[in-house]
Amino acid sequence: METYIAALDQGTTSSRAILFNRAGEIVARAQHPFRQIYPQPGWVEHDPMEIWATEKRALAEAVDAAHIDPKQIAALGLTNQRETTILWDRATGQPVHNAIVWQCRRTAAICDRLKADGLGGAVTDKTGLLIDAYFSGTKIKWLLDNVPGVRRRAERGELCAGTVDSWLIWNLTGGRAHVTDYSNASRTMLFNIHTLQWDEELCHALGIPMQLLPEPRPNSEAYGAVAPDIPGLEDLAGIPICGSAGDQPAALFGQACFTPGQAKNTYGTGCFTLMNVGGQAVRSRAGLVTSVGWSVGGETAYALEGSVFNAGSTIQWLRDELGLIGTAPECDRLAESVPSAGGVYVVPAFTGLGAPYWDMYARGTIVGLTRGTTRAHIARAVLDSIAFQVTDLVRAMNADAPCPITTLRVDGGASVSDILMQTQADLLRLPVDRPAQVETTAFGAAALAGLAAGVWSGLEELEGLRRSQHLFRPQRKEADCAADYAQWRRAVERSRSWIENDV
């Protein structure tokens, strides 16, 4: 009887479920979007109950679409938008507030105070991160300080805190498991990546009671089983939940980047470049961060990472806010209709700039407009901006890593764009390798669960499942690419000086 693995892929804009067979092929999938909530400029929230409802619905629909006996599902793995933070009642399961999303900048002032207090060195030494509103720790602090009665309830042990992995596992197990995996824990600014434990000093500095936090666990082991009384999932009761990783390390794992020096970039709402650096954490000197990639079979792999806050979301902005395109694929068609962006540069710093700049106060900028600029030029400049930002990350990574990246493996929604991938190869002067199976994030979660359940024997078998679909090689003249990149860096400086000049 054929065996399947179910993967939940809970992203920033939608909840998905995908069923894979032992060959790593997709058998069925379902997806549901959910609301993006913007209470004020720079703030981003999600409704945790909507996240759970859409993910539960997607899982039920995917299993139904597969036309299989649910007993054929050997395990369930999950992957999630990282850093997004939820607090909920331990007894009722009701959130105390909307989730604060990873993109949200409301805690920038808290971060400034922590830096002024001299906490930056301890944060980097212990967590591999920088102090930034991106990470979960200051989001928890904000909820404790700003939602009435929450701090007192937390101190009485009545609440749970967690990232989206913890929220989903808690709900799937009927409240029996309050856990997180090492990769998600390493993005909180509260987790010592060397000891793989919550750090008491950092929790105290942020005023976070440690009893709020979930138990950190390896990425491939049993956390619990689907509870028998979940409406809509009754047929899945008893299936073990035994794989979990944040979306970016899951994609690194799904891309079979098991050897130190291998790297991938995911083109999603943001862009995330990760390199496997092996069993020892590498401290960045070039504006990157270090996180746990995964811990499997008692061995931990660390990753260097650079994060871009706005990539695919910039295409959505063209569509939804500016109305310059009707659908996301139209951006490609428009961009291909012109030979270049015509001197236009878009810096999509809508929620500040991530690596390697880490500027919480930068804002989106368009420079180089002329009377001859058309929407096609702006569409081309938006795609260029994604490739420029990834180039920033790879350059920083090459400065930090023991050996340079020789090929960039790619995935995510925007990786289907041939024009974007070719632009990326040209700017990096590297081959860009797009796999046949682009659902690498979900497959990474499935692979972690499948290893724990014995579906796959080890990393070597998983590595054999990866196939390349297309290899993009540099074509454009290097001097032209270098000139464009220099202009991009000038545009970035304009975005960084905006608020400073406005004050």
Side-chain angles (χ1 to χ4, degrees):
M1 186 168 65
E2 178 69 273
T3 297
Y4 302 93
I5 301 289
L8 302 185
D9 183 357
Q10 204 297 303
T12 306
T13 58
S14 70
S15 296
R16 303 193 305 154
I18 301 178
L19 261 66
F20 294 92
N21 60 21
R22 285 195 73 251
E25 300 164 334
I26 293 174
V27 176
R29 72 179 99 195
Q31 178 172 354
H32 293 287
F34 54 87
R35 289 178 301 146
Q36 306 297 301
I37 303 167
Y38 306 105
Q40 62 186 64
W43 290 30
V44 190
E45 297 180 356
H46 292 156
D47 179 348
M49 298 306 292
E50 193 176 0
I51 287 175
W52 168 231
T54 52
E55 195 59 82
K56 182 173 64 170
R57 182 178 166 197
L59 177 58
E61 289 179 359
V63 173
D64 186 60
H67 303 295
I68 62 169
D69 183 341
K71 293 183 175 59
Q72 293 176 263
I73 301 174
L76 187 150
L78 60 93
T79 183
N80 57 284
Q81 51 167 320
R82 297 174 302 167
E83 297 94 22
T84 296
T85 302
I86 305 168
L87 261 66
W88 67 94
D89 189 288
R90 194 178 293 271
T92 67
Q94 290 298 308
V96 303
H97 191 273
N98 279 339
I100 302 181
V101 178
W102 59 272
Q103 298 165 309
C104 187
R105 311 311 289 171
R106 77 184 64 187
T107 65
I110 297 174
C111 293
D112 289 339
R113 289 197 296 273
L114 294 174
K115 291 175 186 175
D117 291 342
L119 198 64
V123 167
T124 299
D125 289 343
K126 293 180 175 186
T127 72
L129 307 177
L130 304 168
I131 295 176
D132 192 84
Y134 179 25
F135 304 112
S136 308
T138 58
K139 302 180 196 301
I140 298 175
K141 177 175 173 56
W142 189 93
L143 289 166
L144 293 172
D145 291 344
N146 289 277
V147 181
V150 162
R151 179 168 290 281
R152 185 172 300 174
R153 292 171 66 192
E155 291 170 349
R156 291 199 299 256
E158 296 173 6
L159 302 181
C160 295
T163 42
V164 174
D165 60 311
S166 298
W167 170 244
L168 291 178
I169 293 172
W170 195 88
N171 278 286
L172 285 165
T173 61
R176 294 172 179 84
H178 184 210
V179 301
T180 188
D181 66 80
Y182 291 160
S183 72
N184 274 294
S186 72
R187 305 294 291 186
T188 60
M189 227 169 69
L190 304 171
F191 186 73
N192 189 314
I193 61 173
H194 310 288
T195 64
L196 303 178
Q197 295 176 335
W198 298 118
D199 189 86
E200 188 172 353
E201 177 193 359
L202 295 178
C203 289
H204 178 75
L206 271 72
I208 295 173
M210 294 184 73
Q211 65 264 33
L212 263 182
L213 302 175
E215 178 190 358
R217 300 274 287 275
N219 299 81
S220 182
E221 68 169 39
Y223 309 123
V226 178
D229 52 355
I230 301 176
L233 300 183
E234 293 89 349
D235 291 343
L236 306 184
I239 293 175
I241 304 161
C242 50
S244 177
D247 50 8
Q248 302 316 316
L252 190 69
F253 198 83
Q255 285 272 31
C257 292
F258 303 140
T259 302
Q262 291 183 311
K264 70 89 199 174
N265 184 72
T266 296
Y267 298 83
T269 302
C271 272
F272 305 89
T273 306
L274 275 74
M275 173 192 276
N276 181 340
V277 295
Q280 295 292 324
V282 173
R283 180 164 180 165
S284 175
R285 307 290 178 185
L288 305 177
V289 298
T290 306
S291 303
V292 175
W294 54 77
S295 184
V296 175
E299 295 189 7
T300 300
Y302 292 91
L304 265 178
E305 176 172 349
S307 305
V308 165
F309 297 152
N310 288 282
S313 57
T314 315
I315 299 172
Q316 293 172 335
W317 169 72
L318 276 188
R319 181 191 66 197
D320 300 338
E321 276 72 42
L322 295 191
L324 294 185
I325 56 175
T327 63
E330 189 180 345
C331 186
D332 272 21
R333 293 194 293 272
L334 269 178
E336 288 168 346
S337 72
V338 290
S340 73
V344 176
Y345 294 84
V346 173
V347 183
F350 305 128
T351 51
L353 287 169
Y357 307 103
W358 296 108
D359 188 336
M360 295 183 288
Y361 300 105
R363 287 297 177 264
T365 305
I366 304 178
V367 299
L369 295 173
T370 69
R371 186 64 180 81
T373 299
T374 68
R375 65 191 187 112
H377 292 111
I378 293 175
R380 183 69 177 255
V382 162
L383 292 185
D384 288 350
S385 76
I386 297 172
F388 282 132
Q389 291 179 98
V390 174
T391 302
D392 286 338
L393 299 183
V394 172
R395 286 187 169 214
M397 200 159 283
N398 280 336
D400 274 336
C403 54
I405 297 170
T406 56
T407 299
L408 185 67
R409 295 182 174 183
V410 298
D411 54 61
S415 70
V416 301
S417 168
D418 286 356
I419 185 173
L420 174 57
M421 294 301 97
Q422 185 58 57
T423 301
Q424 191 70 81
D426 290 338
L427 287 169
L428 291 178
R429 316 310 299 172
L430 292 174
V432 169
D433 182 352
R434 184 169 65 197
Q437 170 58 276
V438 295
E439 295 287 3
T440 56
T441 302
F443 181 67
L448 289 164
L451 284 176
V455 174
W456 292 291
S457 59
L459 301 186
E460 188 175 346
E461 184 179 3
L462 288 171
E463 190 171 14
L465 299 179
R466 189 188 185 278
R467 299 284 186 274
S468 291
Q469 184 263 335
H470 192 88
L471 195 67
F472 295 86
R473 298 184 183 278
Q475 294 179 357
R476 194 168 170 233
K477 289 181 180 178
E478 185 171 2
D480 292 342
C481 294
D484 272 357
Y485 183 70
Q487 289 293 91
W488 157 257
R489 294 298 293 259
R490 291 186 64 196
V492 168
E493 289 310 306
R494 300 292 191 276
S495 79
R496 300 187 71 184
S497 63
W498 176 254
I499 288 183
E500 192 174 276
N501 289 341
D502 192 47
V503 172

